[in-house]
Amino acid sequence: MTNRNMRRSEVPRYFCMADNKGSFASPPWRNPTFLRRQLKEKGHRIVSNEWDAFTNSFLTNYKEAVFATTLRDPIERWFSQYRFEHVEHRDGTKKGSPVMPFEKWLPRQAGLGDHYYLKCFVGDENLQTDEELMGDVGPRGKPRFQGQFYWTYRKFDRRAWAWEDFRRAQELLLRFNLVLVLEWIDYSVDMIDRVLGWKEPPKQVLPWNNNQRKNTTSWSAKANIPEQELLKMKANNALGLLLYHWVKRIVAERLACQEY
């Protein structure tokens, strides 16, 4: 949507996952001085992040920013990632090699693990400062964290999740200017326009648009995951599922209100 609603010069070349090359990655993208300088020098107006857990300091450091996010059914999100990364061999496995069943693949994703949405939005700060992370370099002089997609989630290892965490995630999301539900994105055009001023509606971009996927049929988690494994996933992600459905309720009310 950005490229169809903003000038090309306002959008970084690659902005869904940052690095320290001026593409707005993390860190030092959490550093307000660095980020504002980069935005001003390059003329960019949007910064996006695909991986890192959101921290409360984003809201306090960038009070002038407009915050937006999109949630998807967490079970379907996991299954989509399984197909994209493992079934289609984007995870380093060779094409044509045996594919692990979903129930064996999922436990290996320890970086994100269960309660993914709570980890994203509970707001806990990182254990290390940006300076410490950038200073911890490997033998080749590259910061070690840059090879770890899930480094911001390590602080949640062995965390026992509770209702207080659920409440904190709710409070953080309520401070966002725009929260959408992926399954209802086609109904959210007016909401997007009202908050962002974007007139061009969302357009689905899929892996096969770039000749990456031969089988373009959608895969449903409910239709492909064994029932017992599905029930186990729901139990292990109960608070994340509740957060997703709570967001759906809010979005549904806002969609209904805009009709009047």
Side-chain angles (χ1 to χ4, degrees):
M1 288 184 68
T2 54
N3 291 326
R4 289 182 293 113
N5 286 281
M6 300 177 69
R7 291 193 295 270
R8 181 177 293 274
S9 61
E10 295 176 332
V11 182
R13 292 192 307 274
Y14 182 63
F15 63 98
C16 75
M17 187 168 57
D19 54 32
N20 66 336
K21 300 176 182 177
S23 302
F24 300 150
S26 54
W29 78 310
R30 292 184 300 121
N31 183 312
T33 302
F34 167 83
L35 185 54
R36 288 191 177 92
R37 184 176 68 247
Q38 290 289 311
L39 287 167
K40 184 176 181 180
E41 291 178 357
K42 298 178 182 297
H44 297 326
R45 296 185 59 212
I46 185 170
V47 179
S48 182
N49 171 52
E50 180 180 357
W51 292 106
D52 296 355
F54 196 87
T55 62
N56 283 314
S57 58
F58 281 120
L59 294 168
T60 55
N61 288 338
Y62 306 107
K63 294 181 180 179
E64 73 276 28
V66 173
F67 290 94
T69 191
T70 304
L71 272 68
R72 180 184 187 181
D73 182 300
I75 306 299
E76 294 292 344
R77 195 208 67 80
W78 263 126
F79 193 72
S80 176
Q81 183 172 340
Y82 163 71
R83 180 185 185 183
F84 182 83
E85 291 187 1
H86 183 59
V87 175
E88 296 175 351
H89 301 291
R90 293 182 178 87
D91 57 359
T93 56
K94 294 182 179 180
K95 290 185 178 181
S97 62
V99 173
M100 281 186 289
F102 176 78
E103 56 269 28
K104 290 187 177 181
W105 173 86
L106 183 62
R108 296 169 179 249
Q109 312 310 305
L112 294 180
D114 297 328
H115 299 299
Y116 170 74
Y117 283 146
L118 260 66
K119 294 174 182 178
C120 283
F121 298 112
V122 73
D124 285 5
E125 299 298 324
N126 295 320
L127 300 178
Q128 295 172 283
T129 65
D130 287 349
E131 291 73 18
E132 290 172 336
L133 286 163
M134 295 298 289
D136 181 17
V137 299
R140 298 183 179 180
K142 181 179 179 180
R144 299 178 192 275
F145 82 92
Q146 290 183 354
Q148 304 171 17
F149 282 163
Y150 305 140
W151 69 272
T152 59
Y153 295 87
R154 293 302 178 187
K155 59 181 175 251
F156 300 123
D157 288 350
R158 295 179 293 277
R159 171 81 164 259
W161 295 95
W163 283 109
E164 174 62 18
D165 301 310
F166 180 82
R167 183 191 63 78
R168 289 174 58 200
Q170 285 180 304
E171 290 183 348
L172 190 149
L173 282 169
L174 285 173
R175 297 175 67 184
F176 270 58
N177 303 86
L178 181 65
V179 179
L180 302 172
V181 172
L182 182 64
E183 291 85 348
W184 295 347
I185 197 71
D186 289 339
Y187 306 107
S188 305
V189 176
D190 290 341
M191 292 174 59
I192 296 170
D193 181 18
R194 187 164 59 250
V195 176
L196 301 177
W198 290 0
K199 306 297 182 183
E200 289 293 322
K203 179 181 178 182
Q204 191 176 36
V205 178
L206 300 166
W208 57 80
N209 294 142
N210 296 319
N211 298 318
Q212 293 292 317
R213 180 176 293 178
K214 293 181 180 180
N215 181 0
T216 61
T217 305
S218 297
W219 288 14
S220 166
K222 294 179 181 178
N224 288 277
I225 300 176
E227 184 177 358
Q228 289 302 315
E229 182 64 24
L230 193 61
L231 291 173
K232 179 181 176 182
M233 283 189 70
K234 290 180 178 180
N236 291 342
N237 290 275
L239 292 177
L241 279 165
L242 282 173
L243 188 68
Y244 165 72
H245 286 289
W246 172 77
V247 167
K248 285 184 70 176
R249 171 64 183 269
I250 291 177
V251 173
E253 290 179 353
R254 291 174 179 173
L255 288 172
C257 288
Q258 73 183 17
E259 298 294 329
Y260 299 96

